[in-house]
């Protein structure tokens, strides 16, 4: 039975340009197969002929965190929780020895934390903020209420804002220079 005009008339199939359809499909399929990761160890160990789950399993990594870490399960009807035995990290390491990829990732992470811990974090302040903080500390000490009422407080900062700015100033290298 033909469709009536009331319901939109006869439906036509959408036009599709098939000129480069197969090439585009193969290109997108190839992109999906490649590992998109910033970790060099994972990218080197990635096997393009295997699935993501198989690749991660061969590397000793997990694709689903929920399977890796089991949480206490609750009964929906009664609301009681069932305790699940949890093992420590050392026990888990004894059971499964880390693979080459996992050890490389751990080494990279340790080197990154070592680099970050060597250099202390200093805040950079504008010269006018440094001058403002020096003048306020010299005039009022650490009385932030008096600093808020001071006539040199041109930006009309509140006591809390001045306190935050001076705490940032104390963490900066400019404060350490003036303290010495």
């Amino acid at each position: 039975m033909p469709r009536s005009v009331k319901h939109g008339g006869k439906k036509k199939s959408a036009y599709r340009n098939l000129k480069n359809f197969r090439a585009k499909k193969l290109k997108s399929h190839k992109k999906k197969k490649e590992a998109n990761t910033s970790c060099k160890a994972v990218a080197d160990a990635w096997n393009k002929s295997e699935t993501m789950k198989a690749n991660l399993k061969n590397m000793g990594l997990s694709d689903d965190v929920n399977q890796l870490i089991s949480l206490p399960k609750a009964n929906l009807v009664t609301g009681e929780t069932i305790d699940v035995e949890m093992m420590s990290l050392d026990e888990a390491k004894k059971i499964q020895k880390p693979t080459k990829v996992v050890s490389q990732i751990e080494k990279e992470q340790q080197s990154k934390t070592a680099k970050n811990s060597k250099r202390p974090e200093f805040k950079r302040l504008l010269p006018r903020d440094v001058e403002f903080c020096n003048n306020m500390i010299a005039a009022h000490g650490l009385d932030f209420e008096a600093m808020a009422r001071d006539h040199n407080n041109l930006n009309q900062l509140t006591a809390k804002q001045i306190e935050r700015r001076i705490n940032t100033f104390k963490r900066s290298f400019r404060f350490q220079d003036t303290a010495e």
Side-chain angles (χ1 to χ4, degrees):
M1 194 166 160
R3 294 182 61 91
S4 69
V5 177
K6 186 176 184 182
H7 294 289
K10 187 175 179 183
K11 299 293 181 192
K12 293 181 182 178
S13 61
Y15 174 73
R16 237 168 94 183
N17 185 2
L18 299 176
K19 184 177 179 185
N20 290 325
F21 180 71
R22 182 172 285 156
K24 287 179 184 176
K25 189 174 183 180
L26 288 173
K27 196 174 188 181
S28 67
H29 185 66
K30 186 178 179 183
K31 281 183 181 178
K32 286 181 186 178
K33 280 284 189 178
E34 293 175 3
N36 294 330
T37 180
S38 60
C39 182
K40 189 178 181 205
V42 174
D44 291 341
W46 195 266
N47 186 358
K48 293 179 184 176
S49 63
E50 292 184 358
T51 63
M52 183 191 74
K53 282 186 178 184
N55 272 315
L56 291 175
K57 187 175 182 183
N58 291 341
M59 291 180 216
L61 303 173
S62 176
D63 64 312
D64 187 9
V65 179
N66 294 326
Q67 290 177 351
L68 185 67
I69 301 171
S70 58
L71 296 174
K73 309 217 179 204
N75 188 346
L76 296 175
V77 178
T78 61
E80 296 176 2
T81 58
I82 303 168
D83 291 331
V84 178
E85 290 184 30
M86 299 293 276
M87 67 173 78
S88 68
L89 189 61
D90 295 329
E91 293 173 3
K93 284 184 178 179
K94 288 178 186 176
I95 292 172
Q96 184 180 10
K97 293 186 177 180
T99 60
K100 184 179 178 182
V101 175
V102 173
S103 59
Q104 285 179 348
I105 292 172
E106 287 177 350
K107 285 179 186 176
E108 286 177 19
Q109 191 63 32
Q110 287 174 351
S111 66
K112 284 181 183 177
T113 55
K115 286 179 184 176
N116 290 343
S117 64
K118 288 179 185 175
R119 183 176 46 132
E121 183 181 333
F122 287 125
K123 301 287 182 183
R124 291 186 179 160
L125 291 171
L126 296 172
R128 65 175 180 240
D129 287 342
V130 173
E131 184 182 348
F132 173 77
C133 292
N134 276 332
N135 292 340
M136 289 296 177
I137 291 173
H140 304 287
L142 293 177
D143 186 9
F144 301 113
E145 294 294 331
M147 290 180 194
R149 291 189 304 269
D150 194 325
H151 69 278
N152 290 330
N153 183 8
L154 299 176
N155 295 334
Q156 295 185 344
L157 300 173
T158 64
K160 200 69 175 173
Q161 289 171 328
I162 294 173
E163 183 179 359
R164 275 191 234 113
R165 196 167 282 186
I166 287 181
N167 286 337
T168 306
F169 172 67
K170 285 180 180 178
R171 288 191 304 263
S172 72
F173 65 93
R174 299 278 185 170
F175 179 73
Q176 293 175 353
D177 291 342
T178 56
E180 294 172 353

